[in-house]
């Protein structure tokens, strides 16, 4: 099959000259290039110039869970065979990873080669800005450009109230586009469609955030099943059970994901720093380079809290995500784990000494 026909068939899925260059060694072996559009139970569907092929991923199943084949991967697949195998995947440009809910120190890769990470947040319930920050940390760490989409905007008929909600999220998401969208009325969909055209986007969010409805609106047809959310808390059941990659009519492709109840960080220090960029900028002016922003003299972050420039909630959320990320990294690094525990003991001793001093002073 000619390179031109391959390019024509796969271009709608994101194939470009750079991917073609990466694939050159496998082309010489007679393997087919393709993109994984779905993975389930050790097998995957791969879109190729010859059509959609079903292939086994056992050939690429190492002990490292971050190196398994996932939706969005570009792969080299055998042209025939029963079963047919994926031989390898091309180096990923971006990868969206979270920590697993198990007690093991493992990450779970959700999608690969993503350009835009769309964080869907429902306006049917009270905004959880801390959860938005958590999703954004993972999105930034993946290498993709985050976009926050406030879904079900039709449930907030007052324009002023909607504007305030958008502003709250914009403050929480520096450098991130924030769009209020109604899949029912179509408001904001044209802007979102323009953002995702020409690249790969992944839809992220909790169950009930309206991801499947939003996906159907972008796709222009009812491809994804939609279930009604509970009125009491706005939550829904998992409508999507696998990650599916689908071409968009206006260009680009969309990966829809199951609702994520647990959104654990996985070595996302850079992402946390980008979410809280204003705190990192303030920290550069602290008197001590290792300032913990707790009680140190000359702390620019605490000064911003006192002046009202920085909300207390932002600093508390920053500390929480930093601690969580530090701990997940330490779970895979014994030396760092020992250092953290030593630091905790030191701070605990200092805290107890301070309490004893206060008690003595009161006497």
């Amino acid at each position: 099959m000619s390179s031109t026909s391959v390019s024509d068939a796969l271009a709608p899925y994101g194939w470009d000259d750079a991917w073609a260059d990466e694939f050159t060694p496998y082309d010489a072996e007679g393997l087919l290039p393709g993109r994984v559009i779905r993975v389930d139970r050790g097998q995957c569907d791969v879109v190729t110039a010859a059509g959609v092929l079903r292939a086994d991923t056992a050939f690429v199943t190492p002990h490292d869970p971050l190196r398994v084949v996932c939706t969005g991967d570009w792969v080299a697949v055998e042209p025939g065979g029963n079963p047919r195998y994926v031989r390898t995947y091309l180096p990923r440009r971006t990868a969206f990873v979270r920590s697993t809910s198990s007690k093991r120190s493992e990450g779970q890769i959700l999608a690969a080669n993503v350009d835009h990470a769309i964080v869907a947040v429902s306006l049917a319930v009270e905004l959880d800005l801390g959860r938005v920050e958590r999703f954004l940390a993972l999105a930034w760490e993946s290498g993709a450009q985050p976009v926050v989409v406030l879904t079900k905007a039709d449930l907030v008929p007052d324009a002023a109230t909607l504007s305030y909600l958008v502003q709250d999220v914009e403050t929480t998401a520096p450098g991130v586009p924030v769009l209020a969208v109604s899949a029912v009325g179509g408001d904001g969909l044209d802007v979102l469609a323009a953002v995702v055209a020409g690249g790969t986007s992944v839809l992220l969010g909790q169950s009930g955030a309206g991801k499947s409805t939003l996906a159907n609106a972008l796709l222009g047809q009812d491809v994804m099943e939609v279930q009604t959310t509970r009125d009491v808390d706005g939550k829904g059941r998992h409508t999507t059970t696998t990650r599916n990659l689908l071409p968009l009519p206006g260009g680009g492709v969309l990966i829809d994901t199951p609702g994520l109840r647990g959104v654990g960080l996985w070595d996302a220090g850079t992402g946390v720093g980008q979410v809280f960029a204003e705190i990192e900028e303030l920290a550069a002016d602290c008197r001590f380079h290792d300032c913990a922003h707790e009680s140190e003299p000359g702390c620019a972050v605490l000064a911003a809290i006192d002046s009202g420039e920085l909300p207390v909630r932002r600093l508390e959320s920053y500390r929480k995500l930093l601690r969580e990320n530090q701990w997940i990294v330490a779970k895979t690094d014994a030396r760092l784990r020992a250092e953290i525990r030593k630091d905790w003991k030191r701070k605990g001793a200092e805290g107890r000494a301070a309490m004893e001093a206060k008690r003595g002073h009161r006497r």
Side-chain angles (χ1 to χ4, degrees), residues 131-164:
R131 181 168 290 273
V132 173
E133 290 162 343
R134 180 178 292 273
F135 270 109
L136 290 175
L138 292 176
W140 278 123
E141 191 67 33
S142 75
Q145 166 66 52
V147 180
V148 177
V149 174
L150 303 180
T151 65
K152 308 181 184 182
D154 52 288
L155 299 181
V156 187
D158 182 66
T161 301
L162 181 60
S163 177
Y164 288 133

PDB file of all heavy atoms in Angstrom, residues 131-164:
ATOM      1  N   ARG A 131     -11.418  19.969  42.952  1.00  0.00           N
ATOM      2  CA  ARG A 131     -11.408  18.865  41.992  1.00  0.00           C
ATOM      3  C   ARG A 131     -10.985  19.377  40.612  1.00  0.00           C
ATOM      4  O   ARG A 131     -10.287  18.683  39.882  1.00  0.00           O
ATOM      5  CB  ARG A 131     -12.774  18.194  41.923  1.00  0.00           C
ATOM      6  CG  ARG A 131     -12.839  17.011  40.958  1.00  0.00           C
ATOM      7  CD  ARG A 131     -14.102  16.211  41.148  1.00  0.00           C
ATOM      8  NE  ARG A 131     -14.082  15.500  42.406  1.00  0.00           N
ATOM      9  CZ  ARG A 131     -13.544  14.276  42.550  1.00  0.00           C
ATOM     10  NH1 ARG A 131     -12.980  13.682  41.519  1.00  0.00           N
ATOM     11  NH2 ARG A 131     -13.574  13.674  43.713  1.00  0.00           N
ATOM     12  N   VAL A 132     -11.414  20.580  40.259  1.00  0.00           N
ATOM     13  CA  VAL A 132     -10.987  21.166  38.985  1.00  0.00           C
ATOM     14  C   VAL A 132      -9.465  21.299  38.968  1.00  0.00           C
ATOM     15  O   VAL A 132      -8.799  20.950  37.980  1.00  0.00           O
ATOM     16  CB  VAL A 132     -11.644  22.546  38.764  1.00  0.00           C
ATOM     17  CG1 VAL A 132     -11.065  23.232  37.531  1.00  0.00           C
ATOM     18  CG2 VAL A 132     -13.155  22.403  38.619  1.00  0.00           C
ATOM     19  N   GLU A 133      -8.897  21.782  40.061  1.00  0.00           N
ATOM     20  CA  GLU A 133      -7.438  21.934  40.149  1.00  0.00           C
ATOM     21  C   GLU A 133      -6.733  20.592  40.013  1.00  0.00           C
ATOM     22  O   GLU A 133      -5.676  20.485  39.378  1.00  0.00           O
ATOM     23  CB  GLU A 133      -7.075  22.608  41.474  1.00  0.00           C
ATOM     24  CG  GLU A 133      -7.480  24.069  41.527  1.00  0.00           C
ATOM     25  CD  GLU A 133      -7.544  24.643  42.928  1.00  0.00           C
ATOM     26  OE1 GLU A 133      -7.600  23.849  43.909  1.00  0.00           O
ATOM     27  OE2 GLU A 133      -7.556  25.879  43.064  1.00  0.00           O
ATOM     28  N   ARG A 134      -7.319  19.549  40.583  1.00  0.00           N
ATOM     29  CA  ARG A 134      -6.739  18.209  40.513  1.00  0.00           C
ATOM     30  C   ARG A 134      -6.707  17.703  39.062  1.00  0.00           C
ATOM     31  O   ARG A 134      -5.688  17.197  38.582  1.00  0.00           O
ATOM     32  CB  ARG A 134      -7.560  17.268  41.398  1.00  0.00           C
ATOM     33  CG  ARG A 134      -7.089  15.836  41.428  1.00  0.00           C
ATOM     34  CD  ARG A 134      -7.970  15.042  42.388  1.00  0.00           C
ATOM     35  NE  ARG A 134      -7.745  15.487  43.759  1.00  0.00           N
ATOM     36  CZ  ARG A 134      -6.793  15.004  44.540  1.00  0.00           C
ATOM     37  NH1 ARG A 134      -5.993  14.069  44.093  1.00  0.00           N
ATOM     38  NH2 ARG A 134      -6.649  15.435  45.773  1.00  0.00           N
ATOM     39  N   PHE A 135      -7.824  17.850  38.358  1.00  0.00           N
ATOM     40  CA  PHE A 135      -7.876  17.441  36.953  1.00  0.00           C
ATOM     41  C   PHE A 135      -6.871  18.236  36.125  1.00  0.00           C
ATOM     42  O   PHE A 135      -6.202  17.688  35.239  1.00  0.00           O
ATOM     43  CB  PHE A 135      -9.288  17.655  36.389  1.00  0.00           C
ATOM     44  CG  PHE A 135     -10.196  16.467  36.542  1.00  0.00           C
ATOM     45  CD1 PHE A 135     -11.255  16.495  37.431  1.00  0.00           C
ATOM     46  CD2 PHE A 135     -10.003  15.320  35.788  1.00  0.00           C
ATOM     47  CE1 PHE A 135     -12.105  15.405  37.575  1.00  0.00           C
ATOM     48  CE2 PHE A 135     -10.838  14.230  35.911  1.00  0.00           C
ATOM     49  CZ  PHE A 135     -11.895  14.269  36.804  1.00  0.00           C
ATOM     50  N   LEU A 136      -6.778  19.532  36.403  1.00  0.00           N
ATOM     51  CA  LEU A 136      -5.879  20.380  35.632  1.00  0.00           C
ATOM     52  C   LEU A 136      -4.419  20.007  35.858  1.00  0.00           C
ATOM     53  O   LEU A 136      -3.603  20.072  34.924  1.00  0.00           O
ATOM     54  CB  LEU A 136      -6.102  21.848  35.989  1.00  0.00           C
ATOM     55  CG  LEU A 136      -7.421  22.463  35.510  1.00  0.00           C
ATOM     56  CD1 LEU A 136      -7.567  23.885  36.028  1.00  0.00           C
ATOM     57  CD2 LEU A 136      -7.498  22.448  33.980  1.00  0.00           C
ATOM     58  N   ALA A 137      -4.071  19.613  37.078  1.00  0.00           N
ATOM     59  CA  ALA A 137      -2.691  19.195  37.353  1.00  0.00           C
ATOM     60  C   ALA A 137      -2.312  17.989  36.502  1.00  0.00           C
ATOM     61  O   ALA A 137      -1.225  17.928  35.916  1.00  0.00           O
ATOM     62  CB  ALA A 137      -2.521  18.878  38.840  1.00  0.00           C
ATOM     63  N   LEU A 138      -3.232  17.015  36.413  1.00  0.00           N
ATOM     64  CA  LEU A 138      -2.981  15.839  35.584  1.00  0.00           C
ATOM     65  C   LEU A 138      -2.920  16.206  34.106  1.00  0.00           C
ATOM     66  O   LEU A 138      -2.105  15.666  33.346  1.00  0.00           O
ATOM     67  CB  LEU A 138      -4.076  14.796  35.814  1.00  0.00           C
ATOM     68  CG  LEU A 138      -4.098  14.136  37.193  1.00  0.00           C
ATOM     69  CD1 LEU A 138      -5.296  13.204  37.311  1.00  0.00           C
ATOM     70  CD2 LEU A 138      -2.817  13.362  37.436  1.00  0.00           C
ATOM     71  N   ALA A 139      -3.809  17.121  33.691  1.00  0.00           N
ATOM     72  CA  ALA A 139      -3.835  17.525  32.288  1.00  0.00           C
ATOM     73  C   ALA A 139      -2.537  18.223  31.894  1.00  0.00           C
ATOM     74  O   ALA A 139      -1.930  17.908  30.867  1.00  0.00           O
ATOM     75  CB  ALA A 139      -5.033  18.432  32.035  1.00  0.00           C
ATOM     76  N   TRP A 140      -2.086  19.189  32.699  1.00  0.00           N
ATOM     77  CA  TRP A 140      -0.844  19.891  32.394  1.00  0.00           C
ATOM     78  C   TRP A 140       0.330  18.923  32.372  1.00  0.00           C
ATOM     79  O   TRP A 140       1.216  19.005  31.511  1.00  0.00           O
ATOM     80  CB  TRP A 140      -0.570  20.986  33.423  1.00  0.00           C
ATOM     81  CG  TRP A 140      -1.286  22.291  33.226  1.00  0.00           C
ATOM     82  CD1 TRP A 140      -2.116  22.914  34.120  1.00  0.00           C
ATOM     83  CD2 TRP A 140      -1.225  23.156  32.089  1.00  0.00           C
ATOM     84  NE1 TRP A 140      -2.576  24.099  33.601  1.00  0.00           N
ATOM     85  CE2 TRP A 140      -2.043  24.272  32.354  1.00  0.00           C
ATOM     86  CE3 TRP A 140      -0.558  23.090  30.867  1.00  0.00           C
ATOM     87  CZ2 TRP A 140      -2.205  25.322  31.450  1.00  0.00           C
ATOM     88  CZ3 TRP A 140      -0.726  24.126  29.956  1.00  0.00           C
ATOM     89  CH2 TRP A 140      -1.539  25.225  30.262  1.00  0.00           C
ATOM     90  N   GLU A 141       0.356  17.995  33.318  1.00  0.00           N
ATOM     91  CA  GLU A 141       1.471  17.049  33.404  1.00  0.00           C
ATOM     92  C   GLU A 141       1.523  16.150  32.175  1.00  0.00           C
ATOM     93  O   GLU A 141       2.596  15.705  31.767  1.00  0.00           O
ATOM     94  CB  GLU A 141       1.333  16.183  34.672  1.00  0.00           C
ATOM     95  CG  GLU A 141       2.566  15.356  35.002  1.00  0.00           C
ATOM     96  CD  GLU A 141       3.763  16.221  35.416  1.00  0.00           C
ATOM     97  OE1 GLU A 141       3.552  17.282  36.034  1.00  0.00           O
ATOM     98  OE2 GLU A 141       4.908  15.803  35.124  1.00  0.00           O
ATOM     99  N   SER A 142       0.384  15.889  31.569  1.00  0.00           N
ATOM    100  CA  SER A 142       0.334  15.007  30.401  1.00  0.00           C
ATOM    101  C   SER A 142       1.028  15.605  29.187  1.00  0.00           C
ATOM    102  O   SER A 142       1.439  14.887  28.274  1.00  0.00           O
ATOM    103  CB  SER A 142      -1.125  14.705  30.030  1.00  0.00           C
ATOM    104  OG  SER A 142      -1.735  15.827  29.392  1.00  0.00           O
ATOM    105  N   GLY A 143       1.140  16.924  29.157  1.00  0.00           N
ATOM    106  CA  GLY A 143       1.703  17.600  28.004  1.00  0.00           C
ATOM    107  C   GLY A 143       0.641  18.191  27.095  1.00  0.00           C
ATOM    108  O   GLY A 143       0.959  18.875  26.122  1.00  0.00           O
ATOM    109  N   ALA A 144      -0.630  17.922  27.398  1.00  0.00           N
ATOM    110  CA  ALA A 144      -1.737  18.459  26.599  1.00  0.00           C
ATOM    111  C   ALA A 144      -2.138  19.849  27.107  1.00  0.00           C
ATOM    112  O   ALA A 144      -1.793  20.235  28.223  1.00  0.00           O
ATOM    113  CB  ALA A 144      -2.935  17.520  26.666  1.00  0.00           C
ATOM    114  N   GLN A 145      -2.871  20.563  26.288  1.00  0.00           N
ATOM    115  CA  GLN A 145      -3.417  21.873  26.679  1.00  0.00           C
ATOM    116  C   GLN A 145      -4.783  21.648  27.315  1.00  0.00           C
ATOM    117  O   GLN A 145      -5.705  21.160  26.665  1.00  0.00           O
ATOM    118  CB  GLN A 145      -3.568  22.777  25.464  1.00  0.00           C
ATOM    119  CG  GLN A 145      -4.422  24.018  25.688  1.00  0.00           C
ATOM    120  CD  GLN A 145      -3.833  25.009  26.672  1.00  0.00           C
ATOM    121  OE1 GLN A 145      -2.692  25.411  26.532  1.00  0.00           O
ATOM    122  NE2 GLN A 145      -4.614  25.411  27.670  1.00  0.00           N
ATOM    123  N   PRO A 146      -4.950  22.010  28.598  1.00  0.00           N
ATOM    124  CA  PRO A 146      -6.266  21.832  29.234  1.00  0.00           C
ATOM    125  C   PRO A 146      -7.280  22.859  28.741  1.00  0.00           C
ATOM    126  O   PRO A 146      -6.929  23.983  28.375  1.00  0.00           O
ATOM    127  CB  PRO A 146      -5.974  22.046  30.730  1.00  0.00           C
ATOM    128  CG  PRO A 146      -4.486  22.048  30.866  1.00  0.00           C
ATOM    129  CD  PRO A 146      -3.945  22.494  29.556  1.00  0.00           C
ATOM    130  N   VAL A 147      -8.527  22.450  28.742  1.00  0.00           N
ATOM    131  CA  VAL A 147      -9.660  23.326  28.470  1.00  0.00           C
ATOM    132  C   VAL A 147     -10.753  22.937  29.458  1.00  0.00           C
ATOM    133  O   VAL A 147     -11.111  21.758  29.551  1.00  0.00           O
ATOM    134  CB  VAL A 147     -10.203  23.157  27.031  1.00  0.00           C
ATOM    135  CG1 VAL A 147     -11.392  24.086  26.804  1.00  0.00           C
ATOM    136  CG2 VAL A 147      -9.113  23.419  25.999  1.00  0.00           C
ATOM    137  N   VAL A 148     -11.263  23.887  30.236  1.00  0.00           N
ATOM    138  CA  VAL A 148     -12.358  23.593  31.164  1.00  0.00           C
ATOM    139  C   VAL A 148     -13.676  23.936  30.479  1.00  0.00           C
ATOM    140  O   VAL A 148     -13.859  25.061  29.993  1.00  0.00           O
ATOM    141  CB  VAL A 148     -12.232  24.383  32.478  1.00  0.00           C
ATOM    142  CG1 VAL A 148     -13.433  24.098  33.385  1.00  0.00           C
ATOM    143  CG2 VAL A 148     -10.944  24.018  33.202  1.00  0.00           C
ATOM    144  N   VAL A 149     -14.573  22.957  30.429  1.00  0.00           N
ATOM    145  CA  VAL A 149     -15.890  23.167  29.841  1.00  0.00           C
ATOM    146  C   VAL A 149     -16.943  23.035  30.940  1.00  0.00           C
ATOM    147  O   VAL A 149     -17.090  21.973  31.546  1.00  0.00           O
ATOM    148  CB  VAL A 149     -16.170  22.153  28.712  1.00  0.00           C
ATOM    149  CG1 VAL A 149     -17.601  22.303  28.214  1.00  0.00           C
ATOM    150  CG2 VAL A 149     -15.193  22.362  27.563  1.00  0.00           C
ATOM    151  N   LEU A 150     -17.635  24.133  31.215  1.00  0.00           N
ATOM    152  CA  LEU A 150     -18.713  24.122  32.203  1.00  0.00           C
ATOM    153  C   LEU A 150     -19.980  23.681  31.481  1.00  0.00           C
ATOM    154  O   LEU A 150     -20.561  24.441  30.699  1.00  0.00           O
ATOM    155  CB  LEU A 150     -18.878  25.511  32.816  1.00  0.00           C
ATOM    156  CG  LEU A 150     -17.623  26.089  33.487  1.00  0.00           C
ATOM    157  CD1 LEU A 150     -17.903  27.471  34.053  1.00  0.00           C
ATOM    158  CD2 LEU A 150     -17.117  25.162  34.589  1.00  0.00           C
ATOM    159  N   THR A 151     -20.377  22.429  31.706  1.00  0.00           N
ATOM    160  CA  THR A 151     -21.514  21.862  30.992  1.00  0.00           C
ATOM    161  C   THR A 151     -22.836  22.231  31.665  1.00  0.00           C
ATOM    162  O   THR A 151     -22.858  22.707  32.801  1.00  0.00           O
ATOM    163  CB  THR A 151     -21.392  20.331  30.933  1.00  0.00           C
ATOM    164  OG1 THR A 151     -21.473  19.797  32.265  1.00  0.00           O
ATOM    165  CG2 THR A 151     -20.073  19.908  30.316  1.00  0.00           C
ATOM    166  N   LYS A 152     -23.922  22.004  30.941  1.00  0.00           N
ATOM    167  CA  LYS A 152     -25.283  22.240  31.440  1.00  0.00           C
ATOM    168  C   LYS A 152     -25.487  23.711  31.813  1.00  0.00           C
ATOM    169  O   LYS A 152     -26.142  24.041  32.814  1.00  0.00           O
ATOM    170  CB  LYS A 152     -25.593  21.315  32.616  1.00  0.00           C
ATOM    171  CG  LYS A 152     -25.309  19.831  32.303  1.00  0.00           C
ATOM    172  CD  LYS A 152     -25.637  18.917  33.450  1.00  0.00           C
ATOM    173  CE  LYS A 152     -25.244  17.479  33.114  1.00  0.00           C
ATOM    174  NZ  LYS A 152     -25.574  16.519  34.164  1.00  0.00           N
ATOM    175  N   ALA A 153     -24.896  24.591  31.002  1.00  0.00           N
ATOM    176  CA  ALA A 153     -25.009  26.037  31.262  1.00  0.00           C
ATOM    177  C   ALA A 153     -26.449  26.510  31.178  1.00  0.00           C
ATOM    178  O   ALA A 153     -26.798  27.558  31.736  1.00  0.00           O
ATOM    179  CB  ALA A 153     -24.138  26.814  30.276  1.00  0.00           C
ATOM    180  N   ASP A 154     -27.302  25.738  30.498  1.00  0.00           N
ATOM    181  CA  ASP A 154     -28.717  26.115  30.394  1.00  0.00           C
ATOM    182  C   ASP A 154     -29.423  26.053  31.744  1.00  0.00           C
ATOM    183  O   ASP A 154     -30.506  26.625  31.914  1.00  0.00           O
ATOM    184  CB  ASP A 154     -29.432  25.198  29.397  1.00  0.00           C
ATOM    185  CG  ASP A 154     -29.198  23.726  29.706  1.00  0.00           C
ATOM    186  OD1 ASP A 154     -28.071  23.253  29.472  1.00  0.00           O
ATOM    187  OD2 ASP A 154     -30.124  23.057  30.177  1.00  0.00           O
ATOM    188  N   LEU A 155     -28.810  25.372  32.727  1.00  0.00           N
ATOM    189  CA  LEU A 155     -29.394  25.289  34.063  1.00  0.00           C
ATOM    190  C   LEU A 155     -29.084  26.525  34.896  1.00  0.00           C
ATOM    191  O   LEU A 155     -29.550  26.647  36.030  1.00  0.00           O
ATOM    192  CB  LEU A 155     -28.890  24.035  34.783  1.00  0.00           C
ATOM    193  CG  LEU A 155     -29.232  22.692  34.121  1.00  0.00           C
ATOM    194  CD1 LEU A 155     -28.689  21.536  34.945  1.00  0.00           C
ATOM    195  CD2 LEU A 155     -30.753  22.562  33.961  1.00  0.00           C
ATOM    196  N   VAL A 156     -28.296  27.446  34.338  1.00  0.00           N
ATOM    197  CA  VAL A 156     -27.988  28.714  35.015  1.00  0.00           C
ATOM    198  C   VAL A 156     -28.504  29.834  34.105  1.00  0.00           C
ATOM    199  O   VAL A 156     -27.738  30.442  33.345  1.00  0.00           O
ATOM    200  CB  VAL A 156     -26.478  28.875  35.263  1.00  0.00           C
ATOM    201  CG1 VAL A 156     -26.212  30.120  36.116  1.00  0.00           C
ATOM    202  CG2 VAL A 156     -25.905  27.643  35.941  1.00  0.00           C
ATOM    203  N   PRO A 157     -29.799  30.124  34.148  1.00  0.00           N
ATOM    204  CA  PRO A 157     -30.392  31.087  33.205  1.00  0.00           C
ATOM    205  C   PRO A 157     -29.951  32.523  33.428  1.00  0.00           C
ATOM    206  O   PRO A 157     -29.997  33.333  32.500  1.00  0.00           O
ATOM    207  CB  PRO A 157     -31.892  30.926  33.442  1.00  0.00           C
ATOM    208  CG  PRO A 157     -32.012  30.397  34.847  1.00  0.00           C
ATOM    209  CD  PRO A 157     -30.807  29.533  35.051  1.00  0.00           C
ATOM    210  N   ASP A 158     -29.527  32.856  34.641  1.00  0.00           N
ATOM    211  CA  ASP A 158     -29.121  34.229  34.912  1.00  0.00           C
ATOM    212  C   ASP A 158     -27.717  34.480  34.380  1.00  0.00           C
ATOM    213  O   ASP A 158     -26.746  33.844  34.810  1.00  0.00           O
ATOM    214  CB  ASP A 158     -29.160  34.502  36.425  1.00  0.00           C
ATOM    215  CG  ASP A 158     -28.790  35.939  36.753  1.00  0.00           C
ATOM    216  OD1 ASP A 158     -29.543  36.847  36.371  1.00  0.00           O
ATOM    217  OD2 ASP A 158     -27.733  36.135  37.375  1.00  0.00           O
ATOM    218  N   ALA A 159     -27.579  35.399  33.450  1.00  0.00           N
ATOM    219  CA  ALA A 159     -26.301  35.659  32.786  1.00  0.00           C
ATOM    220  C   ALA A 159     -25.231  36.141  33.759  1.00  0.00           C
ATOM    221  O   ALA A 159     -24.059  35.782  33.638  1.00  0.00           O
ATOM    222  CB  ALA A 159     -26.495  36.693  31.676  1.00  0.00           C
ATOM    223  N   ALA A 160     -25.637  36.960  34.739  1.00  0.00           N
ATOM    224  CA  ALA A 160     -24.664  37.478  35.704  1.00  0.00           C
ATOM    225  C   ALA A 160     -24.102  36.352  36.560  1.00  0.00           C
ATOM    226  O   ALA A 160     -22.890  36.284  36.819  1.00  0.00           O
ATOM    227  CB  ALA A 160     -25.319  38.540  36.584  1.00  0.00           C
ATOM    228  N   THR A 161     -24.982  35.458  37.008  1.00  0.00           N
ATOM    229  CA  THR A 161     -24.536  34.323  37.826  1.00  0.00           C
ATOM    230  C   THR A 161     -23.584  33.439  37.038  1.00  0.00           C
ATOM    231  O   THR A 161     -22.549  32.997  37.553  1.00  0.00           O
ATOM    232  CB  THR A 161     -25.745  33.495  38.296  1.00  0.00           C
ATOM    233  OG1 THR A 161     -26.618  34.331  39.061  1.00  0.00           O
ATOM    234  CG2 THR A 161     -25.297  32.316  39.149  1.00  0.00           C
ATOM    235  N   LEU A 162     -23.935  33.174  35.784  1.00  0.00           N
ATOM    236  CA  LEU A 162     -23.078  32.351  34.935  1.00  0.00           C
ATOM    237  C   LEU A 162     -21.712  33.000  34.750  1.00  0.00           C
ATOM    238  O   LEU A 162     -20.669  32.324  34.789  1.00  0.00           O
ATOM    239  CB  LEU A 162     -23.749  32.126  33.579  1.00  0.00           C
ATOM    240  CG  LEU A 162     -22.990  31.246  32.574  1.00  0.00           C
ATOM    241  CD1 LEU A 162     -22.763  29.846  33.140  1.00  0.00           C
ATOM    242  CD2 LEU A 162     -23.760  31.163  31.262  1.00  0.00           C
ATOM    243  N   SER A 163     -21.704  34.317  34.585  1.00  0.00           N
ATOM    244  CA  SER A 163     -20.445  35.039  34.417  1.00  0.00           C
ATOM    245  C   SER A 163     -19.560  34.913  35.654  1.00  0.00           C
ATOM    246  O   SER A 163     -18.345  34.719  35.550  1.00  0.00           O
ATOM    247  CB  SER A 163     -20.727  36.515  34.135  1.00  0.00           C
ATOM    248  OG  SER A 163     -19.536  37.254  34.041  1.00  0.00           O
ATOM    249  N   TYR A 164     -20.178  34.995  36.844  1.00  0.00           N
ATOM    250  CA  TYR A 164     -19.424  34.843  38.095  1.00  0.00           C
ATOM    251  C   TYR A 164     -18.831  33.445  38.214  1.00  0.00           C
ATOM    252  O   TYR A 164     -17.685  33.270  38.666  1.00  0.00           O
ATOM    253  CB  TYR A 164     -20.310  35.143  39.300  1.00  0.00           C
ATOM    254  CG  TYR A 164     -20.644  36.606  39.483  1.00  0.00           C
ATOM    255  CD1 TYR A 164     -21.938  37.023  39.738  1.00  0.00           C
ATOM    256  CD2 TYR A 164     -19.638  37.580  39.390  1.00  0.00           C
ATOM    257  CE1 TYR A 164     -22.257  38.374  39.898  1.00  0.00           C
ATOM    258  CE2 TYR A 164     -19.943  38.931  39.550  1.00  0.00           C
ATOM    259  CZ  TYR A 164     -21.250  39.314  39.798  1.00  0.00           C
ATOM    260  OH  TYR A 164     -21.532  40.649  39.953  1.00  0.00           O
TER     261      TYR A 164
END
